[in-house]
Structures are given as structure tokens and as C-alpha cells.
Amino acid sequence: GQTPDKDVIAAQAKILEAKLDAYDKILSKQKHLAGDEVTLADLFHLPYGALLAKAGVNALEERPNVARYVNRLVHSD
């Protein structure tokens, strides 16, 4: 029942955007965060990656390597 602090949300979104930019650079050189094989680091990020769009984070449209990575993890068979 509390009102969200929009300044805190904006500050945290800015931090997330910077981290996603770094991830995009890493993922431009390899398939996953720690190399070309799935590791625990990737599995840790799986639920968060699936929720980015629901949280209103425009990570996938602006970061093609993050988009590829998240789609591979979330839609993996």
C-alpha cells in the first residue's frame, strides 16, 4: 500500500542500464556470460532476464546481444 519513490526507481534503472550495456559488450564476444557454455552465472540470470520486459526495461530492443542471450536462455529446449 506504499507509494513507490520514483527517484529511487529512476536511479536504480540507470544502474541497471549501465550493467546491461556491459553485458551487451561481453555477449558480443561469447554466447554466455562466462564463455560459450552455460554456467551457474547464466542460470542465476535466467529469471531476471525473463522479467525485464515485464518490469518495463527496454533491454532487448536496445541491446541485440542481450536479446539473443535472454531469448536463448528463456526459450531453450
Side-chain angles (χ1 to χ4, degrees):
Q2 298 177 350
T3 304
D5 186 333
K6 293 182 181 186
D7 291 335
V8 171
I9 293 170
Q12 294 300 312
K14 199 171 198 178
I15 291 169
L16 177 60
E17 296 286 330
K19 291 183 186 297
L20 290 173
D21 288 342
Y23 279 24
D24 200 59
K25 288 180 184 177
I26 291 168
L27 294 167
S28 72
K29 300 173 187 167
Q30 55 200 41
K31 288 183 179 181
H32 301 283
L33 293 176
D36 287 330
E37 301 297 325
V38 175
T39 66
L40 286 175
D42 302 303
L43 297 178
F44 175 80
H45 286 79
L46 179 60
Y48 300 106
L51 294 173
L52 286 174
K54 289 182 182 181
V57 177
N58 206 7
L60 304 183
E61 291 179 14
E62 298 174 5
R63 296 168 189 87
N65 299 306
V66 172
R68 176 188 46 76
Y69 170 73
V70 169
N71 287 328
R72 181 180 296 133
L73 287 177
V74 172
H75 302 293
S76 177
D77 293 335

Coordinates of all heavy atoms in Angstrom, one line a residue:
G1 N 0.8 -1.2 0.0 CA 0.0 0.0 0.0 C 0.8 1.3 0.0 O 0.3 2.3 0.2
Q2 N 2.2 1.1 -0.1 CA 3.0 2.3 -0.1 C 3.2 2.9 -1.5 O 3.0 2.2 -2.5 CB 4.4 2.0 0.4 CG 4.3 1.5 1.9 CD 5.7 1.1 2.4 OE1 6.7 1.0 1.6 NE2 5.8 0.9 3.7
T3 N 3.5 4.1 -1.6 CA 3.8 4.8 -2.9 C 5.2 4.6 -3.3 O 6.1 4.9 -2.5 CB 3.4 6.3 -2.8 OG1 2.1 6.4 -2.4 CG2 3.6 7.0 -4.1
P4 N 5.5 4.1 -4.5 CA 6.9 4.0 -4.9 C 7.6 5.3 -5.0 O 7.0 6.3 -5.4 CB 6.8 3.3 -6.3 CG 5.4 2.9 -6.4 CD 4.6 3.7 -5.5
D5 N 8.9 5.3 -4.7 CA 9.7 6.5 -4.8 C 10.3 6.6 -6.2 O 11.2 5.8 -6.5 CB 10.8 6.5 -3.7 CG 11.6 7.8 -3.7 OD1 11.7 8.5 -4.8 OD2 12.2 8.0 -2.6
K6 N 9.7 7.4 -7.0 CA 10.1 7.5 -8.4 C 11.6 7.9 -8.6 O 12.2 7.4 -9.6 CB 9.2 8.4 -9.2 CG 7.8 7.9 -9.3 CD 6.9 8.8 -10.1 CE 5.5 8.2 -10.1 NZ 4.6 8.9 -10.9
D7 N 12.1 8.6 -7.7 CA 13.6 9.0 -7.8 C 14.4 7.8 -7.6 O 15.5 7.6 -8.3 CB 13.9 10.1 -6.8 CG 13.3 11.4 -7.1 OD1 13.0 11.6 -8.3 OD2 13.1 12.2 -6.2
V8 N 14.1 6.9 -6.6 CA 14.8 5.7 -6.4 C 14.7 4.8 -7.6 O 15.7 4.2 -8.0 CB 14.3 5.0 -5.1 CG1 14.9 3.6 -4.9 CG2 14.6 5.9 -3.9
I9 N 13.5 4.6 -8.1 CA 13.3 3.8 -9.3 C 14.2 4.3 -10.4 O 14.8 3.5 -11.1 CB 11.8 3.7 -9.7 CG1 11.0 3.0 -8.6 CG2 11.6 3.0 -11.0 CD1 9.6 3.1 -8.7
A10 N 14.2 5.5 -10.7 CA 15.0 6.1 -11.8 C 16.5 5.9 -11.6 O 17.2 5.5 -12.5 CB 14.7 7.6 -12.0
A11 N 16.9 6.1 -10.4 CA 18.4 5.9 -10.1 C 18.7 4.4 -10.3 O 19.8 4.1 -10.9 CB 18.7 6.3 -8.7
Q12 N 17.9 3.5 -9.8 CA 18.2 2.1 -10.0 C 18.1 1.6 -11.4 O 18.9 0.8 -11.9 CB 17.3 1.2 -9.1 CG 17.5 1.4 -7.6 CD 18.9 1.0 -7.2 OE1 19.4 0.0 -7.5 NE2 19.5 1.9 -6.4
A13 N 17.2 2.2 -12.2 CA 17.1 1.9 -13.6 C 18.4 2.3 -14.4 O 18.8 1.6 -15.2 CB 15.9 2.6 -14.2
K14 N 18.9 3.5 -14.0 CA 20.1 3.9 -14.6 C 21.3 3.0 -14.3 O 22.1 2.7 -15.2 CB 20.5 5.3 -14.0 CG 21.4 6.1 -14.9 CD 21.5 7.6 -14.4 CE 22.0 8.4 -15.5 NZ 22.1 9.8 -15.1
I15 N 21.4 2.5 -13.1 CA 22.4 1.5 -12.7 C 22.2 0.2 -13.6 O 23.2 -0.3 -14.1 CB 22.4 1.2 -11.2 CG1 22.8 2.4 -10.4 CG2 23.3 0.0 -10.9 CD1 22.6 2.3 -9.0
L16 N 21.0 -0.2 -13.7 CA 20.7 -1.4 -14.5 C 21.1 -1.2 -15.9 O 21.7 -2.1 -16.5 CB 19.2 -1.8 -14.3 CG 18.8 -3.0 -15.2 CD1 19.6 -4.3 -14.8 CD2 17.3 -3.2 -15.0
E17 N 20.7 -0.1 -16.5 CA 21.1 0.2 -17.9 C 22.6 0.1 -18.1 O 23.0 -0.5 -19.1 CB 20.5 1.6 -18.3 CG 19.0 1.7 -18.2 CD 18.3 1.0 -19.4 OE1 18.9 0.9 -20.5 OE2 17.2 0.6 -19.2
A18 N 23.4 0.6 -17.2 CA 24.8 0.6 -17.3 C 25.3 -0.9 -17.3 O 26.2 -1.3 -18.1 CB 25.5 1.4 -16.2
K19 N 24.8 -1.7 -16.4 CA 25.1 -3.1 -16.3 C 24.7 -3.8 -17.6 O 25.5 -4.7 -18.1 CB 24.5 -3.7 -15.1 CG 25.2 -3.2 -13.8 CD 24.6 -3.8 -12.6 CE 25.1 -3.2 -11.3 NZ 26.5 -3.3 -11.1
L20 N 23.6 -3.5 -18.1 CA 23.1 -4.2 -19.3 C 24.0 -3.8 -20.5 O 24.2 -4.6 -21.4 CB 21.7 -3.9 -19.6 CG 20.7 -4.6 -18.6 CD1 19.3 -4.1 -18.9 CD2 20.8 -6.1 -18.7
D21 N 24.5 -2.6 -20.5 CA 25.4 -2.2 -21.6 C 26.7 -3.0 -21.5 O 27.2 -3.4 -22.5 CB 25.7 -0.7 -21.5 CG 24.6 0.2 -21.9 OD1 23.6 -0.3 -22.6 OD2 24.6 1.4 -21.5
A22 N 27.2 -3.2 -20.3 CA 28.4 -4.0 -20.1 C 28.1 -5.5 -20.5 O 29.0 -6.1 -21.2 CB 28.9 -4.0 -18.7
Y23 N 27.0 -6.0 -20.2 CA 26.6 -7.4 -20.6 C 26.6 -7.5 -22.1 O 27.0 -8.5 -22.7 CB 25.2 -7.8 -20.0 CG 25.2 -8.2 -18.6 CD1 26.2 -7.9 -17.7 CD2 24.2 -9.0 -18.1 CE1 26.2 -8.3 -16.4 CE2 24.2 -9.5 -16.8 CZ 25.2 -9.1 -16.0 OH 25.2 -9.5 -14.7
D24 N 26.0 -6.4 -22.8 CA 26.0 -6.5 -24.2 C 27.3 -6.6 -24.9 O 27.5 -7.3 -25.8 CB 25.2 -5.3 -24.7 CG 24.7 -5.5 -26.1 OD1 23.9 -6.4 -26.3 OD2 25.0 -4.7 -27.1
K25 N 28.3 -5.9 -24.3 CA 29.7 -6.0 -24.8 C 30.3 -7.3 -24.6 O 30.9 -7.9 -25.5 CB 30.6 -4.9 -24.1 CG 30.3 -3.5 -24.6 CD 31.1 -2.5 -23.9 CE 30.7 -1.1 -24.3 NZ 31.5 -0.1 -23.7
I26 N 30.1 -7.9 -23.4 CA 30.6 -9.2 -23.1 C 29.9 -10.3 -24.0 O 30.6 -11.1 -24.6 CB 30.3 -9.6 -21.6 CG1 31.1 -8.8 -20.7 CG2 30.5 -11.1 -21.4 CD1 30.6 -8.9 -19.2
L27 N 28.6 -10.2 -24.2 CA 27.9 -11.1 -25.0 C 28.1 -10.9 -26.5 O 27.7 -11.8 -27.3 CB 26.4 -11.1 -24.7 CG 26.1 -11.5 -23.3 CD1 24.7 -11.2 -22.9 CD2 26.3 -13.0 -23.1
S28 N 28.8 -9.9 -26.9 CA 29.1 -9.7 -28.3 C 30.3 -10.6 -28.7 O 30.6 -10.8 -29.9 CB 29.5 -8.2 -28.6 OG 30.7 -7.9 -28.1
K29 N 31.0 -11.1 -27.7 CA 32.2 -11.9 -27.9 C 32.0 -13.4 -27.6 O 32.9 -14.2 -27.9 CB 33.4 -11.3 -27.1 CG 33.7 -9.9 -27.4 CD 34.7 -9.3 -26.5 CE 34.9 -7.8 -26.8 NZ 35.6 -7.2 -25.7
Q30 N 31.0 -13.7 -26.9 CA 30.8 -15.1 -26.4 C 29.3 -15.3 -26.3 O 28.5 -14.4 -26.2 CB 31.5 -15.4 -25.2 CG 31.2 -14.4 -24.0 CD 32.3 -14.4 -22.9 OE1 33.5 -14.4 -23.2 NE2 31.8 -14.4 -21.7
K31 N 28.9 -16.6 -26.2 CA 27.5 -17.0 -26.2 C 26.8 -16.7 -24.8 O 25.7 -16.3 -24.7 CB 27.3 -18.4 -26.5 CG 27.5 -18.8 -27.9 CD 27.2 -20.3 -28.1 CE 27.4 -20.7 -29.5 NZ 27.1 -22.1 -29.7
H32 N 27.6 -16.9 -23.7 CA 27.1 -16.7 -22.4 C 28.0 -15.9 -21.6 O 29.1 -15.4 -22.0 CB 26.9 -18.1 -21.7 CG 26.0 -19.0 -22.5 ND1 24.7 -18.9 -22.5 CD2 26.3 -20.0 -23.4 CE1 24.1 -19.8 -23.3 NE2 25.1 -20.5 -23.8
L33 N 27.6 -15.6 -20.3 CA 28.4 -14.6 -19.5 C 29.8 -15.1 -19.2 O 30.7 -14.2 -19.2 CB 27.6 -14.3 -18.2 CG 26.3 -13.6 -18.4 CD1 25.6 -13.5 -17.0 CD2 26.5 -12.2 -19.0
A34 N 30.0 -16.4 -19.0 CA 31.3 -16.8 -18.6 C 32.0 -17.6 -19.8 O 33.1 -18.2 -19.5 CB 31.2 -17.7 -17.4
G35 N 31.5 -17.5 -21.0 CA 32.1 -18.2 -22.1 C 31.0 -18.7 -23.0 O 29.9 -18.2 -23.1
D36 N 31.4 -19.8 -23.7 CA 30.4 -20.3 -24.7 C 29.5 -21.5 -24.2 O 28.7 -22.0 -24.9 CB 31.1 -20.8 -26.0 CG 31.6 -19.6 -26.8 OD1 31.0 -18.6 -26.7 OD2 32.7 -19.8 -27.5
E37 N 29.7 -21.8 -22.9 CA 28.9 -22.9 -22.3 C 28.1 -22.3 -21.2 O 28.5 -21.3 -20.5 CB 29.8 -24.0 -21.7 CG 30.7 -24.7 -22.7 CD 29.9 -25.4 -23.8 OE1 28.9 -26.0 -23.4 OE2 30.4 -25.5 -24.9
V38 N 26.9 -22.8 -21.0 CA 26.0 -22.3 -19.9 C 26.7 -22.7 -18.5 O 27.2 -23.8 -18.3 CB 24.6 -23.0 -20.0 CG1 23.8 -22.6 -18.8 CG2 23.9 -22.6 -21.3
T39 N 26.7 -21.7 -17.6 CA 27.2 -21.9 -16.3 C 26.1 -21.5 -15.3 O 25.1 -21.0 -15.6 CB 28.5 -21.1 -16.1 OG1 28.1 -19.7 -16.1 CG2 29.5 -21.4 -17.1
L40 N 26.5 -21.6 -14.0 CA 25.6 -21.1 -12.9 C 25.3 -19.6 -13.0 O 24.2 -19.2 -12.7 CB 26.2 -21.5 -11.6 CG 26.1 -22.9 -11.2 CD1 26.8 -23.1 -9.8 CD2 24.7 -23.4 -11.1
A41 N 26.3 -18.9 -13.5 CA 26.1 -17.4 -13.7 C 24.9 -17.2 -14.7 O 24.0 -16.3 -14.4 CB 27.3 -16.8 -14.3
D42 N 24.8 -18.0 -15.7 CA 23.7 -17.8 -16.6 C 22.4 -18.2 -16.0 O 21.3 -17.6 -16.2 CB 23.9 -18.6 -17.9 CG 25.2 -18.2 -18.6 OD1 25.3 -17.1 -18.9 OD2 26.1 -19.1 -18.7
L43 N 22.4 -19.4 -15.3 CA 21.2 -19.8 -14.6 C 20.7 -18.9 -13.6 O 19.5 -18.7 -13.4 CB 21.4 -21.2 -14.0 CG 21.8 -22.3 -15.0 CD1 22.1 -23.6 -14.3 CD2 20.7 -22.5 -16.1
F44 N 21.6 -18.2 -12.9 CA 21.2 -17.2 -11.9 C 20.5 -16.0 -12.6 O 19.5 -15.5 -12.0 CB 22.5 -16.6 -11.2 CG 22.2 -15.5 -10.3 CD1 21.7 -15.7 -9.0 CD2 22.4 -14.2 -10.7 CE1 21.4 -14.7 -8.2 CE2 22.2 -13.1 -9.8 CZ 21.6 -13.4 -8.6
H45 N 20.9 -15.7 -13.8 CA 20.3 -14.5 -14.5 C 19.0 -14.9 -15.2 O 18.2 -14.0 -15.6 CB 21.2 -14.0 -15.5 CG 22.3 -13.2 -14.9 ND1 23.4 -13.8 -14.3 CD2 22.5 -11.8 -14.8 CE1 24.2 -12.8 -13.9 NE2 23.7 -11.7 -14.1
L46 N 18.7 -16.2 -15.4 CA 17.5 -16.6 -16.1 C 16.2 -16.0 -15.7 O 15.5 -15.4 -16.5 CB 17.5 -18.2 -16.1 CG 16.3 -18.8 -16.9 CD1 16.3 -18.4 -18.3 CD2 16.3 -20.3 -16.7
P47 N 15.8 -16.1 -14.4 CA 14.5 -15.5 -14.0 C 14.5 -14.0 -14.2 O 13.5 -13.4 -14.6 CB 14.4 -15.9 -12.6 CG 15.7 -16.4 -12.1 CD 16.5 -16.7 -13.3
Y48 N 15.6 -13.3 -14.0 CA 15.7 -11.9 -14.1 C 15.5 -11.5 -15.6 O 14.8 -10.5 -15.9 CB 16.9 -11.3 -13.5 CG 17.0 -11.6 -12.0 CD1 17.9 -12.6 -11.6 CD2 16.2 -11.0 -11.1 CE1 18.0 -12.9 -10.2 CE2 16.2 -11.3 -9.8 CZ 17.1 -12.2 -9.3 OH 17.2 -12.5 -8.0
G49 N 16.2 -12.2 -16.5 CA 16.1 -11.9 -17.9 C 14.7 -12.1 -18.4 O 14.2 -11.3 -19.2
A50 N 14.0 -13.1 -17.9 CA 12.6 -13.3 -18.3 C 11.7 -12.2 -17.8 O 10.6 -12.0 -18.4 CB 12.1 -14.6 -17.8
L51 N 12.1 -11.5 -16.8 CA 11.2 -10.4 -16.2 C 11.5 -9.0 -16.7 O 10.9 -8.1 -16.3 CB 11.3 -10.5 -14.7 CG 10.7 -11.8 -14.1 CD1 10.9 -11.8 -12.6 CD2 9.2 -11.9 -14.4
L52 N 12.6 -8.8 -17.5 CA 13.0 -7.5 -17.9 C 11.9 -6.7 -18.6 O 11.6 -5.6 -18.2 CB 14.2 -7.6 -18.8 CG 15.5 -7.9 -18.2 CD1 16.6 -8.0 -19.2 CD2 15.9 -6.8 -17.2
A53 N 11.2 -7.4 -19.5 CA 10.2 -6.7 -20.3 C 9.0 -6.3 -19.4 O 8.4 -5.3 -19.4 CB 9.7 -7.5 -21.5
K54 N 8.7 -7.3 -18.5 CA 7.5 -7.1 -17.6 C 7.8 -5.9 -16.6 O 6.9 -5.2 -16.2 CB 7.2 -8.3 -16.8 CG 6.6 -9.4 -17.6 CD 6.3 -10.6 -16.7 CE 5.7 -11.7 -17.6 NZ 5.4 -12.9 -16.8
A55 N 9.1 -5.7 -16.3 CA 9.5 -4.6 -15.4 C 9.6 -3.2 -16.2 O 9.9 -2.2 -15.6 CB 10.8 -4.9 -14.7
G56 N 9.4 -3.3 -17.5 CA 9.5 -2.1 -18.3 C 10.9 -1.7 -18.7 O 11.1 -0.6 -19.1
V57 N 11.8 -2.6 -18.6 CA 13.2 -2.4 -19.0 C 13.3 -2.7 -20.5 O 13.0 -3.8 -20.9 CB 14.2 -3.2 -18.2 CG1 15.6 -3.0 -18.7 CG2 14.1 -2.8 -16.7
N58 N 13.7 -1.8 -21.3 CA 13.8 -1.9 -22.7 C 15.2 -2.5 -23.2 O 15.8 -2.0 -24.1 CB 13.6 -0.5 -23.4 CG 13.0 -0.7 -24.8 OD1 12.7 -1.7 -25.2 ND2 13.0 0.5 -25.4
A59 N 15.6 -3.5 -22.4 CA 16.9 -4.1 -22.6 C 17.1 -4.8 -24.0 O 18.1 -4.7 -24.6 CB 17.3 -5.1 -21.5
L60 N 16.1 -5.5 -24.4 CA 16.2 -6.3 -25.6 C 16.2 -5.5 -26.9 O 16.9 -5.9 -27.8 CB 15.1 -7.4 -25.6 CG 15.0 -8.2 -24.3 CD1 14.0 -9.3 -24.5 CD2 16.4 -8.8 -24.0
E61 N 15.4 -4.5 -27.0 CA 15.4 -3.7 -28.2 C 16.7 -2.9 -28.4 O 17.1 -2.7 -29.6 CB 14.2 -2.7 -28.2 CG 12.9 -3.5 -28.3 CD 11.7 -2.5 -28.3 OE1 11.9 -1.3 -28.4 OE2 10.6 -3.0 -28.1
E62 N 17.3 -2.4 -27.4 CA 18.5 -1.6 -27.5 C 19.8 -2.4 -27.4 O 20.8 -1.8 -27.7 CB 18.4 -0.6 -26.3 CG 17.2 0.4 -26.4 CD 17.1 1.3 -25.2 OE1 18.0 1.3 -24.4 OE2 16.1 2.0 -25.1
R63 N 19.7 -3.6 -27.0 CA 21.0 -4.4 -26.8 C 20.8 -5.8 -27.5 O 20.3 -6.7 -26.9 CB 21.2 -4.6 -25.3 CG 21.5 -3.2 -24.7 CD 21.5 -3.4 -23.2 NE 21.6 -2.0 -22.6 CZ 20.5 -1.3 -22.3 NH1 19.3 -1.7 -22.6 NH2 20.7 -0.1 -21.8
P64 N 21.2 -5.9 -28.8 CA 20.9 -7.1 -29.5 C 21.6 -8.3 -28.9 O 21.1 -9.4 -29.0 CB 21.5 -6.8 -30.9 CG 22.4 -5.7 -30.7 CD 21.9 -4.9 -29.5
N65 N 22.8 -8.2 -28.3 CA 23.5 -9.3 -27.8 C 22.8 -9.8 -26.5 O 22.7 -11.0 -26.2 CB 24.9 -9.0 -27.5 CG 25.6 -8.6 -28.8 OD1 25.6 -9.4 -29.7 ND2 26.2 -7.5 -28.8
V66 N 22.3 -8.9 -25.7 CA 21.5 -9.3 -24.5 C 20.2 -9.9 -25.0 O 19.8 -10.9 -24.4 CB 21.2 -8.1 -23.6 CG1 20.2 -8.4 -22.5 CG2 22.5 -7.5 -23.0
A67 N 19.6 -9.4 -26.0 CA 18.3 -10.0 -26.5 C 18.6 -11.5 -27.0 O 17.8 -12.4 -26.6 CB 17.8 -9.2 -27.7
R68 N 19.6 -11.7 -27.7 CA 20.0 -13.0 -28.2 C 20.2 -14.0 -27.0 O 19.6 -15.1 -26.9 CB 21.2 -13.0 -29.0 CG 21.7 -14.4 -29.5 CD 23.0 -14.3 -30.2 NE 24.0 -13.5 -29.5 CZ 24.7 -13.8 -28.5 NH1 24.5 -15.0 -27.9 NH2 25.6 -13.0 -27.9
Y69 N 20.9 -13.5 -26.0 CA 21.2 -14.2 -24.8 C 20.0 -14.6 -24.0 O 19.7 -15.8 -23.7 CB 22.2 -13.4 -23.9 CG 22.5 -13.9 -22.6 CD1 23.2 -15.1 -22.4 CD2 21.9 -13.3 -21.4 CE1 23.5 -15.5 -21.1 CE2 22.2 -13.7 -20.2 CZ 23.0 -14.9 -20.0 OH 23.2 -15.3 -18.7
V70 N 19.1 -13.6 -23.7 CA 17.9 -13.9 -23.0 C 17.0 -14.8 -23.7 O 16.4 -15.7 -23.1 CB 17.2 -12.5 -22.6 CG1 15.8 -12.8 -22.1 CG2 18.0 -11.7 -21.6
N71 N 16.8 -14.6 -25.0 CA 15.9 -15.4 -25.8 C 16.4 -16.9 -25.8 O 15.7 -17.8 -25.7 CB 15.8 -14.9 -27.2 CG 14.9 -13.7 -27.2 OD1 14.0 -13.5 -26.4 ND2 15.2 -12.8 -28.1
R72 N 17.8 -17.0 -25.9 CA 18.3 -18.4 -25.9 C 18.1 -19.1 -24.5 O 17.7 -20.2 -24.5 CB 19.8 -18.3 -26.2 CG 20.4 -19.7 -26.2 CD 21.9 -19.7 -26.5 NE 22.2 -19.2 -27.8 CZ 23.1 -18.3 -28.0 NH1 23.9 -17.8 -27.1 NH2 23.3 -17.8 -29.3
L73 N 18.2 -18.3 -23.5 CA 18.0 -18.9 -22.1 C 16.6 -19.2 -21.9 O 16.2 -20.3 -21.4 CB 18.6 -18.0 -21.0 CG 20.1 -18.0 -20.9 CD1 20.5 -17.0 -19.8 CD2 20.7 -19.3 -20.6
V74 N 15.7 -18.3 -22.1 CA 14.3 -18.4 -21.8 C 13.6 -19.4 -22.7 O 12.7 -20.1 -22.2 CB 13.6 -17.0 -21.9 CG1 12.1 -17.1 -21.7 CG2 14.2 -16.1 -20.8
H75 N 14.0 -19.4 -24.0 CA 13.3 -20.2 -24.9 C 14.0 -21.5 -25.3 O 13.7 -22.1 -26.3 CB 12.9 -19.4 -26.2 CG 12.1 -18.2 -25.9 ND1 10.8 -18.3 -25.4 CD2 12.4 -16.9 -25.9 CE1 10.3 -17.1 -25.2 NE2 11.3 -16.2 -25.5
S76 N 15.0 -21.8 -24.5 CA 15.8 -23.0 -24.8 C 15.0 -24.3 -24.6 O 14.2 -24.4 -23.7 CB 17.0 -23.1 -23.8 OG 17.8 -24.2 -24.0
D77 N 15.2 -25.2 -25.6 CA 14.5 -26.5 -25.5 C 15.4 -27.6 -24.9 O 16.5 -27.7 -25.0 CB 14.1 -27.0 -26.9 CG 13.0 -26.0 -27.4 OD1 12.3 -25.4 -26.7 OD2 12.9 -26.0 -28.7

